[in-house]
Amino acid sequence: MSLPFPALAPAYEKSNAVNELLEQAIAAHGGMDRWNELSSVSARVLGGGALWGLKGQEGVLDDVVTQAELHRQVARTTPFGRPDLSSVVTPDRVVIETAAGEVAEERSRPRDSFVGHEIATGWDRLHLAYFNGYAMWNYLTEPFLLAGPGFQLEELAPHHEDGEVWRALRVVFPDEVATHSREQTYYVDAEGHIRRHDYVPDVFGPGAPVAANYSFDPRRYDGILVPTRRLVYLLDAEGRPDKNTVIVSIELQDVRFQ
């Protein structure tokens, strides 16, 4: 069921300033040479936040294991709703399958199933599987995926937050990558760590607010630096993160690369 996805190798055709910023981030996270020696990652994922209750999917992602291929967009999450079920996500297909590999539910062109949705629209299990699968694949492959073919990069003005200055990288994703939105912004600190990541989740429907995804507690596994905790907030009318409500929380444990 895995669909072809281009290898994520360096393909810079950008300005020297942007090259330097992305190269700094990639070097800080372990370097492209080490990344290209690896093929997959797995992690225990402890999920939380207000989004899952809003979508009618409480508890499904509380404690799961996600496995992701590094050079193709394929992500598997186990268990998924029941101990004997897993979800498998590629850009063009989402499947819920049994431990024996039998298809319990599936959906082609899963992005189309969100047409007409609003932020409060409930999700079925295939909606949840698709959103979780593509999002976790993006998070587990950052910043290396940004060096892939078809990405457009532009450095923006520096961003000031909590007494720090972070460099800002505007990224336009190619259509082949399933992601939150085509245009996203990454904020990189002086050490090359991605501290914040802004996007508009298109699957929430027209008029969806900007989400600010903060990364914490980076640890190195098999030579690759991985943020082990994320907190996602929505921006208010003044463009500030509303930290009174955690929309999504993610904690990673037992991270392993192969």
Side-chain angles (χ1 to χ4, degrees):
M1 71 182 62
S2 301
L3 301 183
F5 192 75
L8 301 178
Y12 298 116
E13 296 179 0
K14 292 86 182 178
S15 71
N16 289 335
V18 170
N19 283 348
E20 184 273 328
L21 177 54
L22 182 55
E23 287 174 356
Q24 179 190 10
I26 287 173
H29 286 76
M32 190 60 77
D33 288 345
R34 177 56 179 154
W35 184 255
N36 285 336
E37 294 173 347
L38 302 166
S39 61
S40 64
V41 61
S42 66
R44 182 183 181 189
V45 183
L46 306 180
L51 179 63
W52 315 124
L54 180 67
K55 295 299 185 181
Q57 298 295 334
E58 304 96 324
V60 179
L61 302 174
D62 284 358
D63 190 348
V64 299
V65 173
T66 293
Q67 300 167 295
E69 295 190 23
L70 302 185
H71 306 292
R72 296 190 308 161
Q73 191 168 16
V74 183
R76 172 184 292 271
T77 297
T78 307
F80 194 78
R82 287 188 352 215
D84 62 327
L85 295 180
S86 300
S87 66
V88 183
V89 174
T90 69
D92 293 324
R93 190 179 183 215
V94 56
V95 174
I96 298 174
E97 65 181 23
T98 69
E102 298 175 347
V103 174
E105 298 182 68
E106 67 178 315
R107 180 175 288 154
S108 298
R109 300 176 59 89
R111 199 80 172 199
D112 292 349
S113 68
F114 293 90
V115 173
H117 279 212
E118 299 178 352
I119 192 168
T121 303
W123 284 350
D124 61 27
R125 288 293 164 86
L126 290 170
H127 289 126
L128 177 67
Y130 175 72
F131 178 83
N132 174 68
Y134 84 68
M136 289 304 303
W137 185 87
N138 277 247
Y139 303 156
L140 289 168
T141 60
E142 293 171 358
F144 302 95
L145 83 161
L146 305 182
F151 284 83
Q152 301 174 44
L153 311 181
E154 177 188 7
E155 185 165 5
L156 305 176
H159 173 76
H160 298 257
E161 186 166 339
D162 293 335
E164 298 185 51
V165 180
W166 301 335
R167 294 171 69 181
L169 185 63
R170 174 182 175 268
V171 178
V172 178
F173 280 64
D175 291 340
E176 294 78 13
V177 179
T179 189
H180 289 302
S181 54
R182 290 297 136 215
E183 184 174 323
Q184 304 181 32
T185 304
Y186 292 81
Y187 300 94
V188 182
D189 70 13
E191 296 181 346
H193 299 168
I194 296 173
R195 299 287 296 278
R196 172 176 161 178
H197 170 204
D198 287 5
Y199 45 83
V200 177
D202 289 340
V203 296
F204 288 1
V210 176
N213 185 327
Y214 287 84
S215 299
F216 304 92
D217 303 333
R219 293 185 58 187
R220 201 166 294 275
Y221 300 91
D222 301 303
I224 301 298
L225 190 72
V226 177
T228 59
R229 192 164 62 93
R230 291 175 179 270
L231 296 174
V232 182
Y233 307 99
L234 299 181
L235 301 191
D236 62 21
E238 284 73 42
R240 296 172 298 197
D242 178 6
K243 295 187 177 181
N244 293 315
T245 302
V246 176
I247 299 302
V248 173
S249 66
I250 298 170
E251 180 182 342
L252 301 185
Q253 299 178 0
D254 304 326
V255 180
R256 299 181 184 182
F257 287 89
Q258 294 185 336

